Amino acid sequence: NRLPAAVLLFRKALQGNLRQTEAHLGLSRIALRMGDLEAAREALARAVELAPGQLNQTRQLADLTYQLYFRDP
């Protein structure tokens, strides 16, 4: 499983520049694959904040927020 290594690489990229939208998107995708919806939403929200004109990402954020809000406790 290479996901933990990918997380480290994305985090390392963000150490150099917190405004790297692609790194935030990558962390979001990995968190989704690992089932961590909260972390996925947090990373995706940062990506949308950095690139607000990306409608696909904004829609994904809305969908993920909806899932978190209506999931079983």
Side-chain angles (χ1 to χ4, degrees):
N1 190 349
R2 300 184 313 220
L3 294 179
V7 167
L8 290 176
L9 289 174
F10 283 125
R11 287 187 179 155
K12 186 173 182 178
L14 288 170
Q15 285 177 350
N17 180 2
L18 290 174
R19 299 188 59 80
Q20 290 191 36
T21 304
E22 290 299 322
H24 290 288
L25 289 172
L27 287 172
S28 178
R29 288 185 198 111
I30 291 170
L32 278 175
R33 289 185 67 187
M34 295 174 77
D36 188 347
L37 297 181
E38 291 89 0
R41 189 199 174 285
E42 182 179 323
L44 188 55
R46 182 67 177 139
V48 168
E49 180 182 326
L50 293 170
Q54 299 296 320
L55 296 180
N56 188 41
Q57 294 167 12
T58 302
R59 188 186 83 278
Q60 289 174 353
L61 178 59
D63 290 344
L64 189 51
T65 300
Y66 180 88
Q67 288 176 32
L68 282 166
Y69 185 80
F70 286 105
R71 73 178 177 176
D72 289 331

